[in-house]
Amino acid sequence: MLGVIDLPTYLAGLVLIVLLPGPNSLYVLSVAARKGVRTGYTAAAGVWCGDTVLMTLSAAGVASLLQANAVLFSIVKYAGAGYLTWLAVGMLRAAWAMWRARREPAVRSAETEAEAGERPFRRALVISLFNPKAILFFVAFFVQFVDPGYAYPALSFVVLGAFAQLASFLYLTALIFSGTRLAAAFRRRKRLSAGATTAAGALFLGFAVKLTLASA
């Protein structure tokens, strides 16, 4: 079908890959838990736009450039790790503020002040784009399911990318609605909210370290 081979195997692998936790899905979940469905979808739109850009760059050959140029790969890698670290520090500071203000419901916390200027779409987009391993992944995974004899391989990439975006849409939608259910519990229990925010911050630090250790 349009140069795509072994589609069932591709779809099975895609489901497993989408279900793996990453900074994008974690950020969407946290936004939905804090701000609701509409803002959750705003963050998810940033993820989808970022993934579309990465898929396009992959098809255009940027992945080969990153593999061949260690300096360029390192620049993108460390920039992405730095941004994830910055987000993690913000989450940990917010968690500390929530813990200190757990018995003061009327006080405007640092988390609330930070949320006022938060731009979920832009943050999710930047998290997606500053991940050079994602570009390499799209090429390494997609190319296995493209018929080398097909005359229009770019079209095959489009088909595979469309399935990937559909899987991402379904998964992030599930996370968004799960997040809104968590929000009610977080509002009632400030200790739980502070603990969850701390855990999210720690995971983002882990993602930053993992990206720093990545190689082309």
Side-chain angles (χ1 to χ4, degrees), residues 150-169:
Y150 188 63
Y152 307 101
L155 183 57
S156 303
F157 268 80
V158 170
V159 173
L160 294 173
F163 277 115
Q165 291 288 49
L166 176 61
S168 177
F169 173 80

Side-chain angles (χ1 to χ4, degrees), residues 22-87:
N24 285 336
S25 56
L26 179 61
Y27 181 68
V28 171
L29 176 62
S30 68
V31 167
R34 289 183 284 115
K35 295 191 172 185
V37 171
R38 183 173 180 178
T39 309
Y41 272 112
T42 299
V47 174
W48 297 325
C49 287
D51 285 349
T52 299
V53 171
L54 294 183
M55 291 176 194
T56 303
L57 292 176
S58 300
V62 173
S64 299
L65 177 62
L66 287 174
Q67 284 181 311
N69 192 323
V71 174
L72 179 59
F73 182 87
S74 295
I75 290 173
V76 178
K77 176 178 71 173
Y78 288 117
Y83 187 70
L84 290 176
T85 301
W86 178 73
L87 289 179

Side-chain angles (χ1 to χ4, degrees), residues 74-139:
S74 295
I75 290 173
V76 178
K77 176 178 71 173
Y78 288 117
Y83 187 70
L84 290 176
T85 301
W86 178 73
L87 289 179
V89 171
M91 290 180 180
L92 293 174
R93 290 180 60 190
W96 176 245
M98 282 186 284
W99 178 260
R100 293 181 61 185
R102 64 190 184 280
R103 293 190 178 90
E104 303 171 12
V107 176
R108 181 180 175 85
S109 68
E111 180 202 28
T112 305
E113 292 173 1
E115 287 180 357
E118 185 177 7
R119 294 178 174 84
F121 177 87
R122 187 179 69 179
R123 285 197 175 185
L125 178 65
V126 172
I127 292 172
S128 293
L129 294 179
F130 279 92
N131 186 1
K133 295 299 288 185
I135 301 178
L136 301 179
F137 162 75
F138 282 129
V139 168

Side-chain angles (χ1 to χ4, degrees), residues 3 5 7 14 19 24 51-52 54 59 63 68 81 87 104 110 125 136 142 149 168 172 175 194 196 198 206 209 211:
I5 58 177
L7 184 59
L14 185 62
L19 291 177
N24 285 336
D51 285 349
T52 299
L54 294 183
L87 289 179
E104 303 171 12
L125 178 65
L136 301 179
F142 281 12
S168 177
L172 292 183
L175 289 184
T198 300
V209 171
L211 183 56

